[in-house]
Amino acid sequence: PSSTAVVFVDNHDNQRGHGAGGASIITHKDSRLYKMATAFLLAHPYGYARLMSSFFFDHSDQGPPNTNGDTNGVSINSDGTCGGGWVCEHRWRQIKNMGKFRNVVSGEGVSNWWDNGNSQIAFSRGSKGFIAINNDDWNMDEWLQTGMPAGDYCDIISGDKVNGGCTGSTITVHGDGKAHIGL
């Protein structure tokens, strides 16, 4: 059941090809797909979500960034991401913002499900949030029911919500709850 499930995209073993899944596991090395998978994980209410915070590696038995065997501290870049050999997926803008999304929509069920029968999906979490994901090789260009009240909303995947504004795209939801989604 959802109340006892721990859900994740990858873990410290399978991202290195160990254990179940082997080489078919989505990891930070395919950042676009990883961000989409993690966005779905955080948007959907099932289970207790677990996020990875990794370091770069070239072979499966490689340890973290170190100096003479002592693990190096995590350095933080000016944009909030990690440096010095650390990946820190949880600090990537898209994943960090989806963590906030999960908190905002907590307690709301999945509604307004839409899919194109292939690799485009969208759904709302009640009237508190809406997500659309496109993993097709062609654009998503749809008018979709969002379940959201009319207004302008910040696309937290393409940018950040800052001082009441949005550094990325803005989505307009009309009075009927529909919005044009172009991805």
Side-chain angles (χ1 to χ4, degrees):
S2 180
S3 63
T4 60
V6 175
V7 294
F8 53 90
V9 174
D10 64 341
N11 65 38
H12 68 280
D13 285 324
N14 68 13
Q15 81 169 187
R16 295 162 176 274
H18 302 174
S24 64
I25 299 298
I26 300 168
T27 73
H28 63 83
K29 291 185 178 189
D30 184 347
S31 64
R32 180 181 173 274
L33 192 56
Y34 191 83
K35 290 171 186 175
M36 281 192 286
T38 305
F40 178 81
L41 171 87
L42 293 170
H44 199 278
Y46 187 84
Y48 178 80
R50 180 185 173 280
L51 301 178
M52 276 294 290
S53 185
S54 305
F55 52 85
F56 291 103
F57 59 90
D58 295 317
H59 57 84
S60 67
D61 293 326
Q62 183 176 340
N66 69 84
T67 304
N68 299 322
D70 292 327
T71 301
N72 296 344
V74 178
S75 61
I76 306 300
N77 299 321
S78 61
D79 66 356
T81 61
C82 296
W86 297 97
V87 179
C88 304
E89 299 93 313
H90 68 288
R91 295 182 72 95
W92 293 354
R93 182 192 72 245
Q94 299 86 347
I95 294 173
K96 176 186 67 165
N97 286 346
M98 284 305 300
K100 293 175 185 176
F101 177 94
R102 186 174 180 92
N103 290 335
V104 166
V105 301
S106 179
E108 298 290 326
V110 171
S111 52
N112 299 299
W113 179 272
W114 174 90
D115 67 75
N116 71 342
N118 201 33
S119 294
Q120 297 177 359
I121 65 168
F123 59 92
S124 68
R125 293 287 304 277
S127 63
K128 293 185 177 180
F130 180 83
I131 186 166
I133 299 171
N134 181 9
N135 193 34
D136 274 332
D137 292 332
W138 56 88
N139 292 336
M140 176 189 285
D141 184 16
E142 300 287 338
W143 281 92
L144 299 176
Q145 178 54 248
T146 67
M148 304 284 291
D152 293 327
Y153 295 89
C154 182
D155 171 6
I156 61 169
I157 299 296
S158 70
D160 288 310
K161 195 173 178 182
V162 179
N163 298 325
C166 188
T167 63
S169 301
T170 300
I171 306 296
T172 300
V173 175
H174 297 271
D176 61 359
K178 289 187 176 182
H180 179 256
I181 307 298
L183 297 175

